[in-house]
Amino acid sequence: MRTVEWRGKPVWILKRTPEMVASLKKTDGKVADADSKRNPEEFTPEYCRNEHRSIKPEILVAVGICTHLGCSPSSKFTPGPQPSLPDDWEGGFLCPCHGSTFDMAGRVYKNKPAPDNLQVPRHMYMGDTKLVIGKDEKGEA
Ligand code: FES
């Protein structure tokens, strides 16, 4: 996972494995806002309001700031039982501050203090490999 800075915020760019993408089917029923319908203008651009919350299914672009009180969630990509996580953990992110958990698309799990999914900033691809953050076909964020 790479982290870049955008407007003073850390933005994660994560190339998900096929297993990580497949895990999103399993977390659909466990997350609070599976279709990114809450505050969509702020948190999820229209072209990312899908299960994987991205333009390309394998590439996640998300702001690495918890939507509760702004702590930095940690990567917990390995599925399975481990400290501070449920035994049926599918991989994702854990905010150590108050225990909010997010799946591999940054969707917050149900009954956690964080009210929203991690923010997906506006972004676009120029050609196959160049990613521009903070801007899309509709203009600058
Ligand atoms: S800041 Fe992340 S759970 Fe409170």
Side-chain angles (χ1 to χ4, degrees):
M1 184 167 79
R2 274 187 61 196
T3 304
V4 298
E5 197 180 299
W6 170 66
R7 297 194 165 176
K9 299 177 185 173
V11 174
W12 298 329
I13 302 165
L14 173 65
K15 182 145 198 281
R16 291 177 288 206
T17 62
E19 292 75 24
M20 288 170 170
V21 175
S23 76
L24 301 174
K25 283 256 171 287
K26 301 183 203 158
T27 54
D28 260 350
K30 300 178 189 174
V31 294
D33 181 18
D35 300 319
S36 299
K37 289 189 174 144
R38 291 188 195 167
N39 300 316
E41 294 311 317
E42 188 178 353
F43 290 100
T44 318
E46 202 180 335
Y47 42 81
C48 293
R49 286 176 213 153
N50 49 46
E51 187 177 63
H52 38 86
R53 300 189 74 229
S54 58
I55 298 171
K56 299 184 183 191
E58 72 277 21
I59 309 280
L60 174 70
V61 178
V63 174
I65 296 178
C66 181
T67 55
H68 181 218
L69 296 176
C71 291
S72 303
S74 336
S75 309
K76 297 285 179 188
F77 297 159
T78 308
Q82 53 206 291
S84 308
L85 292 168
D87 286 354
D88 62 351
W89 182 244
E90 299 289 350
F93 304 89
L94 165 68
C95 184
C97 300
H98 314 96
S100 290
T101 43
F102 303 86
D103 74 357
M104 288 306 310
R107 300 183 298 180
V108 67
Y109 274 80
K110 289 177 182 168
N111 305 314
K112 297 294 177 182
D116 289 297
N117 294 337
L118 297 179
Q119 182 190 4
V120 173
R122 282 195 201 188
H123 62 284
M124 62 192 284
Y125 290 91
M126 310 267 280
D128 248 9
T129 49
K130 189 171 176 201
L131 172 65
V132 179
I133 293 173
K135 199 174 170 184
D136 57 20
E137 272 84 10
K138 289 189 179 164
E140 300 250 344

